[in-house]
Amino acid sequence: MSGNDFNGNIPSSLGNMSSLLSLDISNNNLSGEIPEQLVISCFFLRELILSNNNLQGQIFSNNFGLTELQSLQLDDNHFRGKIPESLLNCSILQVLHLYDNNLSGKIPRWFGNLSYLVDIVMFNNQLEGLLPKELCQCQNLEILDLSENNIFGSLLPCLSLSNIRQVHLSRNRLRGQLKDALYINSTTLEVLDLSYNHLEGKIPNWIGKLSSLSYLTLSNNNLEGELPTQLCNLGKLRLIDLSQNNFYGKIPSCLNFTALYKGNENDESLIYELPLFVVVEVIEVMTRGAEESIQFTTKTISYSYKAKMLTFMSGIDLSCNKLFGEIPHQIGNLTRIHTLNLSHNNLTGSIPKTF
């Protein structure tokens, strides 16, 4: 019943449908709270999608019977309070979308007990505290998005989870050095967004081992040092944003080995490879609906690219650093970039003829 013009409260009589497997009433104008009768009586419910409404209040009470839940999508509402501990009873939960709400409190340590979790998407809330080390126990995790919260402390050294595809931790208060706090040796990671934090130190050499990395944004931190040539090992790299840091040295001349160069043989099918929508084949009706986005600034205006549009966006932003020397002529051969920003550095020489 999604995508209609229903308003008012969710009828508590839905709780009488004790054999219901899937309920999708997203994209309406529903208000009020989630009926307790629904939460108590629909024992077999595997998919509950209430996204894009005007629902409010606490998410669930302690009276909870949805133990078979595999996908919970409550994003874009007005839910408040802490993430309910009753979710601990959802031992086979795979998809958890709570983004665009008013949730507060810490990220629960008991998330580590939900070993089947594939998606944790909770950006744009008021969550705070440290990243719990128990997240490292979620070995099936593919997407972790905790952007736009008040998370502080250091990164987790376990984000090298074997299946991880996207890590979004931008616009928090994370600190520490990348080389000590985070070691990733992943062949599946495609998006790494740690922008708008307080990270320090150099870009570690392990960055070159992320063979599937397509989008790297580390802007607006306190990173320093030279840009590592290991970036040139990333044959699928489409977008790199290292702006607003303290990087110095010369711009690597070998970036033409990335997907930004038209002649790169690895790039022919890139436009189809980034799995923004990954199907969970648990029950027939279950699909994943989160559209993970990347923000990229062009001429002081920040744009958000998501879903299919993200695959069409590519560029380099090294602005507002301390880079010096001449612009490598190889940069002019990167014919796949849509935007290039090298402003506010100490570059010298002329614009290469290859441009």
Side-chain angles (χ1 to χ4, degrees), residues 49-207:
I49 305 179
L50 306 177
S51 310
N52 297 302
N53 281 289
N54 295 307
L55 300 171
Q56 58 189 16
Q58 304 281 335
I59 292 179
F60 296 134
S61 65
N62 293 328
N63 296 322
F64 186 82
L66 306 180
T67 56
E68 299 296 315
L69 207 58
Q70 296 172 358
S71 178
L72 178 63
Q73 301 180 36
L74 305 179
D75 46 278
D76 200 2
N77 280 288
H78 306 291
F79 290 115
R80 55 178 172 78
K82 297 181 179 180
I83 299 171
E85 192 170 353
S86 52
L87 286 178
L88 186 55
N89 297 320
C90 304
S91 59
I92 57 174
L93 187 67
Q94 295 188 6
V95 176
L96 181 62
H97 292 171
L98 303 178
Y99 58 90
D100 283 329
N101 278 289
N102 298 310
L103 299 176
S104 57
K106 297 182 178 180
I107 299 169
R109 297 175 60 181
W110 47 259
F111 268 11
N113 294 333
L114 302 178
S115 58
Y116 288 93
L117 273 175
V118 177
D119 275 19
I120 300 177
V121 185
M122 302 191 297
F123 64 82
N124 194 22
N125 279 287
Q126 299 169 27
L127 300 171
E128 58 185 9
L130 302 172
L131 287 172
K133 60 182 180 181
E134 286 77 9
L135 281 175
C136 302
Q137 300 171 26
C138 301
Q139 292 297 317
N140 293 305
L141 194 63
E142 293 184 9
I143 298 178
L144 176 65
D145 191 342
L146 302 174
S147 304
E148 298 178 65
N149 282 288
N150 293 308
I151 299 168
F152 55 83
S154 59
L155 294 164
L156 294 175
C158 66
L159 288 180
S160 56
L161 297 168
S162 58
N163 295 312
I164 197 74
R165 292 182 179 275
Q166 301 185 29
V167 175
H168 302 258
L169 296 172
S170 64
R171 298 181 187 274
N172 281 288
R173 294 186 288 145
L174 295 168
R175 295 184 178 275
Q177 297 201 14
L178 284 178
K179 67 180 182 68
D180 297 329
L182 177 68
Y183 176 78
I184 299 181
N185 185 12
S186 170
T187 58
T188 59
L189 187 68
E190 295 160 347
V191 178
L192 180 60
D193 185 356
L194 304 176
S195 58
Y196 291 91
N197 280 288
H198 306 291
L199 300 173
E200 303 173 346
K202 300 179 180 180
I203 297 178
N205 291 337
W206 51 247
I207 197 74

Side-chain angles (χ1 to χ4, degrees), residues 199-218:
L199 300 173
E200 303 173 346
K202 300 179 180 180
I203 297 178
N205 291 337
W206 51 247
I207 197 74
K209 297 181 180 180
L210 306 181
S211 57
S212 296
L213 192 65
S214 298
Y215 301 91
L216 174 64
T217 58
L218 302 175

